[in-house]
Amino acid sequence: MPTVIDANAFRDMIDERRRGERSFALVDTRPAESYESWRIADSVHYFYKPFHEFDVDDFEAETGVGPGDAIVTTCAKGKASLDFAEELEAAGYDDVTVLADGMRGWSAVYDRTAVPLPDAGDEPLDVVQIQRRAKGCLGYLVVGGRSSGGDGERDDPDGSDRVAIADSDGSDRVAIADSDGSDRVAIADSDGSDRVAIADSDGSDRVAIAIDVSRHGDEWREAAAARDASIAAVLDTHVHADHLSGGRDLADELGVPYYLPAAAAERDVAYAFESLARNETLDVGGVDVKALATPGHTDDGASYLVGRSALLTGDTLFTDSVGRTELQFAAGGDGGDDDAGDDQKATAGAATGAERLYESLHGTLLAEPDRIVVCPGHFAVANDGTTGDVTPGEPVTTTVGAARRGLDVLDLDRGAFVERITATLPEKPPNYEAVIAANRGVESPPDEVAAIELELGPNRCAADAGAEPAADD
């Protein structure tokens, strides 16, 4: 009977192979079209359908894999690949492993890594990057406050353990803080003013906010628990088009506020959320998190400046590119011209967004100090599963200065920038219109299987910033 392993164990095998510590062949048995559109890096293809005759000589000739090789098999759901593994064992292969749940399982694999912050100084700050390996989605946990065993005591504003979300002084500053040891998470006006208290339920020493949470919110909860922190609020940088946000669900489970940028109100979001205005600031255990309006990828896009150390840029600025700019406008019912064709809507939307993106990049993000660490919302995963210069499990970051110097698209003037962004529109994320609708709250996948199928495949949120515009004849 073949060995069956879950996707996390397989991730560890992939990493060991990358380090030269083991060798195996990964055989993907899905139809060729599925394989070509999205696969695990360094896999080989051999289409197999259960109950069809298996020809071992044909398999060896097509793949170059022999009985002496260790093999891992995968498919869409883990069923066909299990049957195939049994065929291989019957044919004399004695080291065969099956990836449980196939590509569905692989889609839910994560890595968590601390973001190095050279300029954090004595700020009581940790930033954890939560990487969804197969899709390239990046979320974050921002943790403030010092643990009881740390270098110093927490600086609570009133000498208690209580931390609040509040406009306490008439400014844009909003405080997030720890609790009073109550048994439940509560949101209340504690003193008749605009001050809103958040009570944590588990007596944690530190406070955190979760940003760009996926459907798998336990990844953020586990990251917080590892740092003895309670999640006091959940934020998204924008209404996403490539994956289903789990932000609302996590906020509901924890009984904490869910924030979207204020401009999301103009996108007909169908659920209640707390609004973060331009330059509004959250105090997260003594660390300021400031909302910067950065429209372009979407109208509602925001970036979050964390203390004097990090800039969470969502889909506005990546380590190797900038955000694509047409998806919001090309999606039916979300700002496009319904009378125009899809290509016309995409091109017009891309130009509109590119104008705004240029201003967000040059007027806002690149105005920050060069040493600020840029933490993007995605890294690129190609259809063949490769990730370029990114090593999954290691931090995916750049700096403001490195982006300014290293991305040639940022050297262009406004007109040339818009022309470059609109010259070649990249392939759209799978099912992006339905994903946007779900994240706006106007539709919902009927079950978990539908949700998995809806967002399978890599993200495609970056512009083809290397594309040159067509020459005029």
Side-chain angles (χ1 to χ4, degrees):
M1 184 71 182
T3 301
V4 179
I5 61 171
D6 66 21
N8 287 332
F10 178 63
R11 173 199 58 200
D12 296 341
M13 289 180 64
I14 290 281
D15 290 346
E16 290 167 0
R17 184 173 70 173
R18 185 183 67 241
R19 296 192 296 265
E21 298 169 2
R22 72 185 305 159
S23 175
F24 61 87
L26 174 62
V27 181
D28 189 324
T29 67
R30 293 175 298 155
E33 182 180 359
S34 298
Y35 175 79
E36 291 297 333
S37 65
W38 179 51
R39 60 186 183 269
I40 301 170
D42 299 319
S43 59
V44 295
H45 181 247
Y46 183 79
F47 176 63
Y48 173 81
K49 191 172 183 178
F51 311 117
H52 283 223
E53 183 177 353
F54 172 61
D55 186 331
V56 66
D57 293 331
D58 176 71
F59 167 72
E60 292 178 3
E62 186 170 331
T63 65
V65 178
D69 295 312
I71 299 175
V72 179
T73 65
T74 189
C75 62
K77 306 173 186 178
K79 295 180 180 179
S81 54
L82 177 58
D83 288 340
F84 178 62
E86 292 173 346
E87 293 274 18
L88 288 174
E89 285 196 336
Y93 288 74
D94 59 8
D95 189 354
V96 185
T97 302
V98 181
L99 173 58
D101 300 320
M103 297 301 287
R104 286 183 178 181
W106 181 245
S107 180
V109 167
Y110 287 80
D111 299 281
R112 297 198 296 266
T113 184
V115 174
L117 300 171
D119 285 355
D122 59 357
E123 283 186 307
L125 170 64
D126 291 314
V127 175
V128 183
Q129 187 177 75
I130 301 174
Q131 306 175 351
R132 191 171 179 183
R133 183 178 287 209
K135 288 186 67 66
C137 299
L138 300 174
Y140 295 89
L141 188 79
V142 174
V143 187
R146 300 190 188 282
S147 67
S148 58
D151 296 330
E153 297 298 321
R154 291 182 49 202
D155 184 16
D156 289 323
D158 57 5
S160 71
D161 290 330
R162 192 174 189 81
V163 188
I165 289 188
D167 290 321
S168 58
D169 58 3
S171 71
D172 288 329
R173 185 180 179 84
V174 180
I176 293 185
D178 266 332
S179 72
D180 52 6
S182 63
D183 292 330
R184 59 192 296 271
V185 178
I187 301 177
D189 291 324
S190 59
D191 59 4
S193 70
D194 290 333
R195 186 177 183 84
V196 180
I198 289 188
D200 290 331
S201 59
D202 60 5
S204 300
D205 289 315
R206 308 183 70 194
V207 63
I209 58 174
I211 299 167
D212 285 346
V213 176
S214 75
R215 288 189 305 110
H216 310 100
D218 283 350
E219 293 289 335
W220 280 257
R221 298 179 77 156
E222 291 169 9
R227 286 155 180 80
D228 197 21
S230 289
I231 297 173
V234 181
L235 293 69
D236 268 312
T237 53
H238 63 292
V239 176
H240 298 277
D242 70 306
H243 70 277
L244 296 173
S245 170
R248 282 180 291 147
D249 288 343
L250 181 60
D252 288 346
E253 290 168 9
L254 298 174
V256 302
Y258 172 65
Y259 285 93
L260 279 176
E266 302 302 317
R267 297 195 63 188
D268 297 326
V269 172
Y271 49 81
F273 61 90
E274 300 293 327
S275 178
L276 271 177
R278 180 190 298 265
N279 296 329
E280 195 165 9
T281 301
L282 304 178
D283 179 347
V284 183
V287 177
D288 285 350
V289 178
K290 184 177 182 180
L292 307 179
T294 51
H297 175 67
T298 62
D299 270 347
D300 59 315
S303 299
Y304 298 119
L305 180 62
V306 180
R308 55 179 178 270
S309 305
L311 192 55
L312 312 187
T313 55
D315 289 355
T316 301
L317 176 63
F318 305 119
T319 60
D320 58 356
S321 187
V322 298
R324 65 189 300 167
T325 61
E326 88 288 358
L327 289 180
Q328 172 190 340
F329 304 97
D334 200 36
D337 177 1
D338 291 336
D339 294 328
D342 289 344
D343 290 343
Q344 288 176 295
K345 285 198 295 184
T347 301
T352 298
E355 292 274 357
R356 297 171 188 172
L357 183 65
Y358 182 88
E359 189 58 39
S360 294
L361 291 166
H362 292 275
T364 302
L365 298 183
L366 297 181
E368 295 296 334
D370 277 5
R371 288 176 60 84
I372 293 284
V373 176
V374 171
C375 301
H378 292 96
F379 62 89
V381 179
N383 288 0
D384 66 1
T386 57
T387 56
D389 293 335
V390 168
T391 300
E394 297 182 4
V396 181
T397 63
T398 185
T399 64
V400 170
R404 181 188 292 110
R405 294 186 295 270
L407 297 182
D408 66 347
V409 70
L410 298 179
D411 288 334
L412 302 176
D413 63 26
R414 185 188 300 269
F417 177 87
V418 172
E419 191 174 4
R420 173 77 66 85
I421 294 300
T422 58
T424 303
L425 300 182
E427 183 181 1
K428 292 179 175 61
N431 307 313
Y432 78 99
E433 292 175 300
V435 171
I436 291 173
N439 288 334
R440 287 172 52 225
V442 299
E443 295 179 8
S444 182
D447 52 39
E448 178 67 11
V449 171
I452 292 171
E453 294 293 336
L454 189 63
E455 60 172 17
L456 282 177
N459 81 82
R460 296 189 177 101
C461 286
D464 186 3
E468 295 292 343
D472 293 330
D473 293 329

